Amino acid sequence: MLNQIKGLHHVTSIASDAAENNAFFTQALGLRRVKKTVNFDAPDVYHLYYGDEVGNPGSVMTYFPFSDAARGRRGTGEVGESVFSVPQGSLGFWGDRLAVAAEKVEAVDHFGERRLRFQTADGEGFALSEIADDTRQGWVGNGIDAEHAIRGFHGASMRLQDTGAMAELLQFMGYEKVDTKDNVTRFAVTGGTGADTIDLETLKSTPHASQGAGSVHHIAFAVENRATQLEVRKALLDTGYQVTPVIDRDYFWAIYFRTPGGILFEVATNEPGFDRDEDRAHLGEALKLPVQHEKLRPFLEQNLQPLGN
Ligand code: ZN
């Protein structure tokens, strides 16, 4: 069993409209845009990162907004909900705010947590969960004070027809089974980033999802550095997973592998972080381009959709 994985690093999804996506995550949810860059493989498409003040691992929600993306179909073989941690007593505030800004807002109790579930305009599933013992500081720069601010992810759920192989994989990655209710089993990792829970939801007869706007593209787990990432990579290869070589993503190093049931996993390093090429005071303001796409800057600055602040 591995001990290098420290919970979630980031979640990356597909959106249909860059400006609307930016407005929802910065203004409605109050996250900080910590990086405005482009997709390495499709540089005419943004890659937008939202998180806490510096985009600490475990706080970062990222998007590829493809303007022509059709809405994905929800189903199995995908991440169901990404779940943020909020302070206790804050859900009343969020309920009022999301009643206007989000869709299908619903208060639920989930493994003893008070939770508000909602969907984005693209139909992507999220929840805010009141967590008592989370000491992380949320970003308070967008008009939401510290008593209410999102502190980062609490975790995510995954929907599968058969969760057996995924449960084994999570346990191999260092997660422990901590609770079960109905068709949902909770796994958690200790000593993580705070984004430490994964809920596996068994939906035996639900068809496979089809990816599009509102779908999670991949979910990334955090490791401290490149050395521990190589240890994880070797262990996964030895277990039979097909893992990509290490890829430089400018703000972290990444490896990817497809899991049983179809969900794409990434393992990303906590180094070097989002302040490697920008002042902390101005993170996410300027368009940053991977060096191989710098020659496209004049075209991109003219053609990428303006985001607002
Ligand atoms: Zn990623």
Side-chain angles (χ1 to χ4, degrees), residues 10 12 218 220 252 256 266:
H10 64 271
T12 295
H218 64 266
F252 46 87
Y256 302 87
E266 174 182 343

PDB file of all heavy atoms in Angstrom, residues 10 12 218 220 252 256 266, ligand 1:
ATOM      1  N   HIS A  10      -6.256  18.419  -7.643  1.00  0.00           N
ATOM      2  CA  HIS A  10      -7.222  19.262  -8.349  1.00  0.00           C
ATOM      3  C   HIS A  10      -8.242  18.384  -9.058  1.00  0.00           C
ATOM      4  O   HIS A  10      -8.073  17.160  -9.153  1.00  0.00           O
ATOM      5  CB  HIS A  10      -6.524  20.196  -9.347  1.00  0.00           C
ATOM      6  CG  HIS A  10      -5.800  19.505 -10.476  1.00  0.00           C
ATOM      7  ND1 HIS A  10      -4.475  19.104 -10.380  1.00  0.00           N
ATOM      8  CD2 HIS A  10      -6.209  19.126 -11.714  1.00  0.00           C
ATOM      9  CE1 HIS A  10      -4.113  18.536 -11.525  1.00  0.00           C
ATOM     10  NE2 HIS A  10      -5.140  18.526 -12.353  1.00  0.00           N
ATOM     11  N   THR A  12     -10.435  18.567 -12.783  1.00  0.00           N
ATOM     12  CA  THR A  12     -10.518  19.296 -14.055  1.00  0.00           C
ATOM     13  C   THR A  12     -11.760  18.867 -14.819  1.00  0.00           C
ATOM     14  O   THR A  12     -11.988  17.670 -15.014  1.00  0.00           O
ATOM     15  CB  THR A  12      -9.257  19.034 -14.901  1.00  0.00           C
ATOM     16  OG1 THR A  12      -8.130  19.573 -14.218  1.00  0.00           O
ATOM     17  CG2 THR A  12      -9.371  19.696 -16.272  1.00  0.00           C
ATOM     18  N   HIS A 218     -10.883  14.749 -15.553  1.00  0.00           N
ATOM     19  CA  HIS A 218     -10.025  13.871 -14.746  1.00  0.00           C
ATOM     20  C   HIS A 218      -9.944  14.398 -13.322  1.00  0.00           C
ATOM     21  O   HIS A 218     -10.306  15.541 -13.052  1.00  0.00           O
ATOM     22  CB  HIS A 218      -8.627  13.734 -15.353  1.00  0.00           C
ATOM     23  CG  HIS A 218      -7.849  15.020 -15.394  1.00  0.00           C
ATOM     24  ND1 HIS A 218      -7.829  15.849 -16.486  1.00  0.00           N
ATOM     25  CD2 HIS A 218      -7.063  15.629 -14.476  1.00  0.00           C
ATOM     26  CE1 HIS A 218      -7.060  16.902 -16.239  1.00  0.00           C
ATOM     27  NE2 HIS A 218      -6.580  16.795 -15.024  1.00  0.00           N
ATOM     28  N   ALA A 220      -7.293  14.608  -9.967  1.00  0.00           N
ATOM     29  CA  ALA A 220      -5.853  14.511  -9.693  1.00  0.00           C
ATOM     30  C   ALA A 220      -5.596  14.380  -8.196  1.00  0.00           C
ATOM     31  O   ALA A 220      -6.195  15.081  -7.379  1.00  0.00           O
ATOM     32  CB  ALA A 220      -5.134  15.735 -10.240  1.00  0.00           C
ATOM     33  N   PHE A 252       2.876  22.055 -12.044  1.00  0.00           N
ATOM     34  CA  PHE A 252       3.067  20.763 -11.362  1.00  0.00           C
ATOM     35  C   PHE A 252       3.533  19.774 -12.414  1.00  0.00           C
ATOM     36  O   PHE A 252       3.470  20.052 -13.615  1.00  0.00           O
ATOM     37  CB  PHE A 252       1.757  20.275 -10.703  1.00  0.00           C
ATOM     38  CG  PHE A 252       0.541  20.391 -11.575  1.00  0.00           C
ATOM     39  CD1 PHE A 252       0.200  19.379 -12.452  1.00  0.00           C
ATOM     40  CD2 PHE A 252      -0.272  21.522 -11.537  1.00  0.00           C
ATOM     41  CE1 PHE A 252      -0.904  19.485 -13.274  1.00  0.00           C
ATOM     42  CE2 PHE A 252      -1.390  21.647 -12.364  1.00  0.00           C
ATOM     43  CZ  PHE A 252      -1.702  20.624 -13.231  1.00  0.00           C
ATOM     44  N   TYR A 256      -0.718  10.254 -15.691  1.00  0.00           N
ATOM     45  CA  TYR A 256      -2.130   9.926 -15.866  1.00  0.00           C
ATOM     46  C   TYR A 256      -2.284   8.429 -16.073  1.00  0.00           C
ATOM     47  O   TYR A 256      -1.428   7.789 -16.675  1.00  0.00           O
ATOM     48  CB  TYR A 256      -2.701  10.622 -17.108  1.00  0.00           C
ATOM     49  CG  TYR A 256      -2.565  12.124 -17.088  1.00  0.00           C
ATOM     50  CD1 TYR A 256      -1.400  12.733 -17.561  1.00  0.00           C
ATOM     51  CD2 TYR A 256      -3.589  12.938 -16.606  1.00  0.00           C
ATOM     52  CE1 TYR A 256      -1.257  14.114 -17.550  1.00  0.00           C
ATOM     53  CE2 TYR A 256      -3.461  14.318 -16.606  1.00  0.00           C
ATOM     54  CZ  TYR A 256      -2.291  14.904 -17.072  1.00  0.00           C
ATOM     55  OH  TYR A 256      -2.160  16.260 -17.062  1.00  0.00           O
ATOM     56  N   GLU A 266      -5.108  11.317 -12.344  1.00  0.00           N
ATOM     57  CA  GLU A 266      -3.808  11.966 -12.482  1.00  0.00           C
ATOM     58  C   GLU A 266      -3.156  11.946 -11.103  1.00  0.00           C
ATOM     59  O   GLU A 266      -3.849  11.981 -10.088  1.00  0.00           O
ATOM     60  CB  GLU A 266      -4.022  13.421 -12.944  1.00  0.00           C
ATOM     61  CG  GLU A 266      -2.754  14.258 -13.002  1.00  0.00           C
ATOM     62  CD  GLU A 266      -3.025  15.714 -13.423  1.00  0.00           C
ATOM     63  OE1 GLU A 266      -4.117  15.998 -13.971  1.00  0.00           O
ATOM     64  OE2 GLU A 266      -2.156  16.552 -13.171  1.00  0.00           O
TER      65      GLU A 266
HETATM   66 ZN    ZN B   1      -4.965  17.728 -14.224  1.00  0.00          ZN
END
